[in-house]
């Protein structure tokens, strides 16, 4: 069972590595950010409740987010493993996750934390573009699509996320510092935490991550 959490500030490279990991290990990608964006696109009650928080860079309240993940992790496709990306982000979320994964006998096996300095995060987020259809990430300078504005993978339109502006990013980085960073000590204590350098090139970093994950899978 390969039960993984990816942690790190926005722009540290979690999403890009997540896409590679789920393709190689064939496990579901549970990105709370993607789930909220999907709900907003579909105009559901959840989407309406989450949109104001997200667009301003604030965290969606814990009870809403925990409920969403609880439902998702209990689904049959998570029996052979799962990749949590963007959850947990607060201590109450991490505590709820611990209880929940015990109840369903799907304990977390590794927490990979992506380290990246603030100026680089700002550079990455302000130039980030994502595909509206498949969510593939791009960057206007360092990860361009072959045809401008068009996704290489599915032909979808590339857009800039509403919360990928400097004002929202400052708020998001603040939430990361104060609410999410304390989780590193929480997972260090439980022996699950591994730090990786988010500045490493995509392919080299993926090689490093696969070494870590292959070891967890062998246990
Ligand atoms: P992300 O795509 O992970 O950067 O998430 C985008 C936005 O969704 C965040 O800035 C939050 O507003 C919201 N969000 C995603 N995951 C969580 C979470 N675990 N707790 C609270 N809010 C979240």
């Amino acid at each position: 069972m390969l039960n993984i959490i990816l942690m790190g500030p926005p722009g540290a490279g979690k999403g890009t590595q997540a896409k590679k990991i789920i393709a190689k290990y064939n496990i579901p990608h549970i990105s709370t950010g993607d789930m909220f964006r999907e709900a907003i696109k579909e105009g559901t009650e959840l989407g309406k409740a989450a949109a104001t928080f997200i667009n301003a860079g604030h965290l969606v309240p814990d009870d809403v987010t925990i409920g969403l993940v609880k439902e998702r992790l209990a689904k049959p496709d998570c029996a052979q493993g799962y990749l949590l990306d963007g959850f947990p982000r607060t201590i109450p979320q991490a505590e709820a996750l611990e209880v929940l994964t015990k109840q369903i006998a799907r304990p977390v096996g590794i927490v990979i934390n992506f380290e990246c300095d603030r100026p680089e995060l700002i550079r990455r987020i302000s130039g980030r573009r994502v595909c509206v259809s498949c969510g593939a990430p791009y960057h206007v300078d360092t990860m361009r699509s072959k045809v401008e504005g068009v996704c290489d993978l599915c032909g979808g339109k590339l857009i800039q996320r509403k919360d990928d502006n400097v004002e929202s990013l400052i708020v998001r980085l603040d939430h990361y510092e104060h609410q999410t960073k304390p989780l590193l000590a929480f997972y260090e204590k439980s022996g699950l935490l591994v730090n990786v350098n988010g500045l490493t090139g995509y392919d080299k970093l993926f090689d490093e991550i696969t070494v870590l994950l292959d070891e967890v899978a062998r246990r």
Side-chain angles (χ1 to χ4, degrees), residues 174-215:
D174 245 39
H175 284 305
Y176 175 76
E177 280 298 319
H178 297 112
Q179 293 181 264
T180 310
K181 227 173 167 184
L183 296 185
L184 299 180
F186 180 95
Y187 287 119
E188 176 126 57
K189 229 189 269 167
S190 51
L192 294 172
L193 186 73
V194 180
N195 293 304
V196 296
N197 183 354
L199 296 172
T200 312
Y202 307 116
D203 293 334
K204 185 159 180 281
L205 183 53
F206 183 59
D207 290 344
E208 282 176 27
I209 289 174
T210 53
V211 172
L212 296 169
L213 296 183
D214 288 346
E215 197 190 308

Side-chain angles (χ1 to χ4, degrees), residues 32-33 37 54 58-60 65 86-87 89 93 161 172:
T32 37
R37 280 185 289 276
I54 294 179
H58 291 300
L59 293 179
V60 176
T65 313
F87 183 95
R89 259 172 153 107
Q93 290 181 13
R161 271 168 50 172
R172 286 155 73 199

Side-chain angles (χ1 to χ4, degrees), residues 119-194:
E120 175 64 8
L121 295 173
I122 294 175
R123 188 197 68 77
R124 287 184 181 182
I125 293 284
S126 39
R128 175 157 77 176
R129 299 290 181 271
V130 289
C131 172
V132 273
S133 305
C134 73
Y138 294 88
H139 188 278
V140 289
D141 297 323
T142 47
M143 225 200 313
R144 290 190 192 167
S145 56
K146 290 188 189 107
V147 179
E148 203 185 320
V150 181
C151 178
D152 293 344
L153 303 178
C154 75
K157 190 174 159 207
L158 303 187
I159 55 146
Q160 181 168 37
R161 271 168 50 172
K162 257 197 185 149
D163 58 344
D164 276 352
N165 57 72
V166 177
E167 295 76 31
S168 291
L169 179 60
I170 301 291
V171 178
R172 286 155 73 199
L173 288 175
D174 245 39
H175 284 305
Y176 175 76
E177 280 298 319
H178 297 112
Q179 293 181 264
T180 310
K181 227 173 167 184
L183 296 185
L184 299 180
F186 180 95
Y187 287 119
E188 176 126 57
K189 229 189 269 167
S190 51
L192 294 172
L193 186 73
V194 180

